[in-house]
Amino acid sequence: MSEYGIKENIEAVEEQIRAACDKSGREPKEVRLIAVSKTKPVAMLQEAYDCGCRDFGENKVQELIEKYELLPKDIRWHMIGHLQRNKVKYIVDKVYMIHSVDSLRLAEEISKEAVKKNVKVQILIEVNVAKEDTKFGTTCEEVIPLVKEIAKLPNILVKGLMTIAPYVADEEENRCNFQKLKKISVDIMEENIDNICMEVLSMGMTGDYRTAVTEGATYVRVGTGIFGVRPTMLKGEEV
């Protein structure tokens, strides 16, 4: 990992995003950097915030809630980890976006709690593009039928798609997965489903966000590239 601190790491990631945008004829403002801050102490998040980060990604509901209470209220919190239905009620009025919706039952729970709290919740549909057994997400074949059902629910705004690509030594190996997610988003738009928007493609992590940007990512989720390596990394985790 870099010998530099958080500020230098953020600047390096942002420069890589700019370079990837230049390469693919995109504007850097089209790509939003999410600092994946799970397991990181509040002091580190505050440092990233002081460097200009406003989007933070968390995997666990309890950790998100604790940090929400301690950090500035203009932070946009992204729930990027698997979300259990019984935990939905704790975060629907705190998160900016839930990236990991992969079933109608979960969407129904989000809708129910959003109606109760009189909020509208932005969500992404998580797609297991690479068909990995260790990852959550709906299949490529099930996405359009799922979106059509979720579109009927009140107080939910489907803003796009998310995927967690496999961990690979060469990020070029994930280009096909990013291309598939982009194609699915185009296919969904062509269905002209009411209340459905496909403006967000959340794809790309520390090891492959540059390739993801060249394939249309609008959100990249970078943890290790900003905060450094954690002592232990669990199988299938975002980095």
Side-chain angles (χ1 to χ4, degrees), residues 27-39:
E27 292 291 331
K29 64 183 179 183
E30 296 174 21
V31 183
R32 185 179 293 184
L33 172 61
I34 299 175
V36 177
S37 48
K38 61 187 183 186
T39 77

Side-chain angles (χ1 to χ4, degrees), residues 15 28-29 40 68 82 134 143 153 158 160-161 164 181 219 224 232-233:
E15 177 54 39
K29 64 183 179 183
K40 298 301 180 185
Y68 174 90
H82 181 64
T134 58
V143 178
L153 300 173
V158 178
L161 306 175
I164 302 173
L181 194 72
Y219 288 173
T224 304
T232 56
M233 296 291 287

Side-chain angles (χ1 to χ4, degrees), residues 61 83-95 98 101 104-123 153-157:
V61 167
L83 180 58
Q84 295 174 304
R85 295 195 307 280
N86 63 351
K87 301 284 182 66
V88 167
K89 60 188 174 185
Y90 300 114
I91 63 165
V92 288
D93 56 346
K94 296 178 175 64
V95 293
I98 298 172
V101 178
L104 181 58
R105 291 180 71 192
L106 175 57
E108 287 171 340
E109 189 66 26
I110 294 169
S111 174
K112 183 182 82 173
E113 294 297 334
V115 169
K116 278 185 187 177
K117 290 190 162 72
N118 194 30
V119 295
K120 291 189 176 180
V121 183
Q122 299 187 106
I123 70 166
L153 300 173
N155 292 47
I156 277 187
L157 303 170

Side-chain angles (χ1 to χ4, degrees), residues 183-199:
K183 183 182 184 305
I184 293 169
S185 74
V186 171
D187 291 345
I188 291 171
M189 284 304 296
E190 289 177 350
E191 292 281 330
N192 292 317
I193 308 165
D194 287 344
N195 303 318
I196 296 298
C197 169
M198 283 288 124
E199 67 185 25

Side-chain angles (χ1 to χ4, degrees), residues 27-211:
E27 292 291 331
K29 64 183 179 183
E30 296 174 21
V31 183
R32 185 179 293 184
L33 172 61
I34 299 175
V36 177
S37 48
K38 61 187 183 186
T39 77
K40 298 301 180 185
V42 167
M44 291 183 79
L45 275 71
Q46 183 66 54
E47 186 176 344
Y49 177 91
D50 293 341
C51 294
C53 282
R54 291 296 180 271
D55 293 89
F56 291 84
E58 290 289 333
N59 260 45
K60 297 187 182 302
V61 167
Q62 185 60 39
E63 191 173 350
L64 187 154
I65 293 168
E66 290 170 359
K67 291 173 177 175
Y68 174 90
E69 298 297 340
L70 295 170
L71 286 155
K73 289 298 177 275
D74 63 336
I75 285 176
R76 294 180 289 261
W77 293 102
H78 298 258
M79 181 65 193
I80 59 176
H82 181 64
L83 180 58
Q84 295 174 304
R85 295 195 307 280
N86 63 351
K87 301 284 182 66
V88 167
K89 60 188 174 185
Y90 300 114
I91 63 165
V92 288
D93 56 346
K94 296 178 175 64
V95 293
Y96 174 77
M97 184 173 284
I98 298 172
H99 289 229
S100 47
V101 178
D102 60 358
S103 71
L104 181 58
R105 291 180 71 192
L106 175 57
E108 287 171 340
E109 189 66 26
I110 294 169
S111 174
K112 183 182 82 173
E113 294 297 334
V115 169
K116 278 185 187 177
K117 290 190 162 72
N118 194 30
V119 295
K120 291 189 176 180
V121 183
Q122 299 187 106
I123 70 166
L124 303 179
I125 308 302
E126 180 175 0
V127 187
N128 187 350
V129 176
K131 301 179 180 178
E132 289 186 282
D133 294 338
T134 58
K135 303 278 176 63
F136 293 100
T138 188
T139 66
C140 298
E141 295 75 22
E142 294 170 340
V143 178
I144 291 178
L146 177 61
V147 167
K148 286 180 176 178
E149 290 302 311
I150 293 176
K152 303 172 187 175
L153 300 173
N155 292 47
I156 277 187
L157 303 170
V158 178
K159 305 298 284 187
L161 306 175
M162 181 270 250
T163 196
I164 302 173
Y167 178 77
V168 291
D170 178 1
E171 64 181 284
E172 277 294 324
E173 294 178 44
N174 274 330
R175 186 174 295 278
C176 61
N177 293 310
F178 301 142
Q179 289 172 340
K180 284 179 188 174
L181 194 72
K182 174 67 174 178
K183 183 182 184 305
I184 293 169
S185 74
V186 171
D187 291 345
I188 291 171
M189 284 304 296
E190 289 177 350
E191 292 281 330
N192 292 317
I193 308 165
D194 287 344
N195 303 318
I196 296 298
C197 169
M198 283 288 124
E199 67 185 25
V200 174
L201 279 180
S202 174
M203 59 187 193
M205 300 182 291
T206 294
D208 55 20
Y209 68 88
R210 292 157 292 266
T211 299

